[in-house]
Amino acid sequence: MRGYQIAAIPGDGIGQETLPAAKRVLDVLGGLHGFELSWTDYPWGCAYYAETGAMMPEDGLERLAESDAILLGAVGMPGVPDHVSLWGLLVPIRRQFDQYVSLRPVRPLEGTRRPLRDDSPFDLVVVRENTEGEYSQIGGRMFHGTPNEMAVQEAVFTRRGVERIARYAFQLATERSGRVASATKSNGIFHTMPFWDEVVEQVAAEYPGVELTRYHADALAAHLVLDPGRFDVIVASNLFGDVLSDLTAALAGGIGIAPCGNIDPTRRHPSMFEPIHGSAPDIAGTGAANPIGQVWSAAMMLDHLGEAEAGAHLVAAIERTVRDGLVTADLGGRLSTAEACDALVERLESGA
């Protein structure tokens, strides 16, 4: 039987509920498809920070490096600033393991409530640069507490970083519709965005069969709301990719069902898979959390591990469960997290 070492970080809030649900589903799926997942649980996150003053131990990254993949729940807790949780756990993992691709597929599932009157189908993927760009620690603050207080934040774009995320997006487009939309803001951001445009266009020349269209990020957001079906692969910087992937997820029915993979395409390091939703402390512990985003992220993990058949089986079970209305309250259903997990398992085992 094929075996994989998986690091599981439930994190905070509803991650403590959705990640165990995903583990249960994956263990059932492994039995059906002839592989076994060996789980190592790590109790890291904001609760760990409250106890120790750190989001993870000093040797945390070394321990994670021993795994084949990482499955993350959600991170965040009232009382812990968001920049502390992000830069104490998620960003170090992404950068230490060179997970430079944040891959965020988006398509509506039949049975979900969507905000647009036009419920035409769409199927797109946001390819977000994940290790540099606007998310930088370079900068500082001065004159704290005075009328002259100021803050300076610098973005970092390297040729290597832009080239490799663009190349990933173009290669993905060759396997899809052959269309790439690049998000920019070169009319307002004087240095980094024109550089982004130049490098993306240079990479585009390597893919003559792929059509490149450049959009200012604000206009792209408007086009996505008006007609998401016109887009296929969207490549964007760290900040713009973060914003646009949340927007597209909302158009598909909500961020509660949206998956994400933080991927090292070279496979030298473990990749990390997580839902894009937050820890939702307002419903944590109520049993109402939607496990779909977590489980769909787990399906992406299986694809990355080479278990594509199992991943497709799981996605099909998700689609059937949502279509049948066996979902949690945020999708208009009545089930608890555990009951939605039961429904997924039932569909996996029955093959219906």
Side-chain angles (χ1 to χ4, degrees):
M1 179 175 285
R2 302 178 301 280
Y4 305 96
Q5 299 290 327
I6 308 299
I9 309 176
D12 306 298
I14 63 171
Q16 296 283 331
E17 302 162 62
T18 61
L19 195 138
K23 287 172 62 177
R24 180 187 167 209
V25 170
L26 288 180
D27 287 340
V28 170
L29 193 63
L32 296 173
H33 286 267
F35 64 85
E36 182 177 8
L37 302 179
S38 297
W39 299 96
T40 302
D41 297 316
Y42 295 104
W44 304 338
C46 291
Y48 186 88
Y49 174 86
E51 294 179 1
T52 68
M55 292 292 293
M56 62 178 165
E58 290 185 4
D59 66 345
L61 294 173
E62 296 176 14
R63 292 158 70 176
L64 291 176
E66 299 174 357
S67 61
D68 295 308
I70 304 163
L71 189 62
L72 175 70
V75 177
M77 186 174 77
V80 179
D82 288 341
H83 68 277
V84 170
S85 59
L86 181 68
W87 287 92
L89 185 65
L90 299 184
V91 172
I93 292 173
R94 292 168 181 170
R95 294 186 173 177
Q96 177 70 24
F97 299 137
D98 205 19
Q99 298 167 351
Y100 68 87
V101 174
S102 178
L103 188 65
R104 301 188 171 192
V106 185
R107 60 184 175 87
L109 301 177
E110 184 181 349
T112 58
R113 294 180 299 180
R114 294 160 57 187
L116 301 183
R117 285 182 295 178
D118 181 358
D119 60 357
S120 300
F122 62 89
D123 183 349
L124 60 85
V125 59
V126 177
V127 177
R128 169 193 173 192
E129 200 290 315
N130 207 34
T131 58
E132 54 178 51
E134 302 89 349
Y135 289 9
S136 160
Q137 289 175 301
I138 300 174
R141 296 174 64 175
M142 294 177 62
F143 311 120
H144 291 263
T146 75
N148 296 323
E149 186 169 7
M150 61 172 288
V152 175
Q153 178 75 57
E154 296 188 20
V156 177
F157 286 77
T158 67
R159 176 169 292 276
R160 173 177 177 265
V162 180
E163 281 182 345
R164 65 183 186 174
I165 196 65
R167 196 164 283 119
Y168 186 96
F170 279 91
Q171 182 59 44
L172 181 61
T174 66
E175 303 163 9
R176 292 172 59 95
S177 71
R179 293 176 291 124
V180 171
S182 174
T184 183
K185 194 59 181 162
S186 51
N187 60 339
I189 301 177
F190 194 84
H191 294 295
T192 57
M193 284 290 99
F195 177 70
W196 169 277
D197 293 343
E198 292 166 13
V199 176
V200 169
E201 289 179 5
Q202 290 165 8
V203 173
E206 302 173 14
Y207 297 86
V210 176
E211 176 188 357
L212 169 65
T213 306
R214 188 172 70 195
Y215 293 88
H216 291 140
D218 48 347
L220 177 54
H223 286 303
L224 281 165
V225 171
L226 293 172
D227 184 15
R230 71 190 287 183
F231 297 98
D232 184 39
V233 176
I234 298 172
V235 63
S237 68
N238 213 332
L239 175 60
F240 291 154
D242 199 359
V243 173
L244 292 172
S245 58
D246 274 21
L247 170 65
T248 53
L251 295 177
I255 61 174
I257 61 174
C260 171
N262 302 276
I263 297 172
D264 169 19
T266 71
R267 299 177 183 270
R268 291 193 301 265
H269 310 287
S271 293
M272 179 171 64
F273 300 85
E274 58 174 323
I276 72 171
H277 63 64
S279 60
D282 56 325
I283 63 169
T286 67
N290 181 359
I292 295 298
Q294 187 84 69
V295 175
W296 200 342
S297 300
M300 294 181 67
M301 182 180 76
L302 293 178
D303 287 341
H304 184 74
L305 292 172
E307 300 290 346
E309 182 178 343
H313 186 186
L314 181 51
V315 172
I318 291 170
E319 292 173 329
R320 289 193 297 272
T321 301
V322 174
R323 184 178 64 237
D324 293 345
L326 299 175
V327 291
T328 50
D330 64 331
L331 288 178
R334 64 188 185 281
L335 302 187
S336 67
T337 307
E339 290 168 336
C341 180
D342 290 341
L344 285 166
V345 169
E346 180 182 348
R347 276 147 187 77
L348 286 174
E349 292 180 330
S350 68

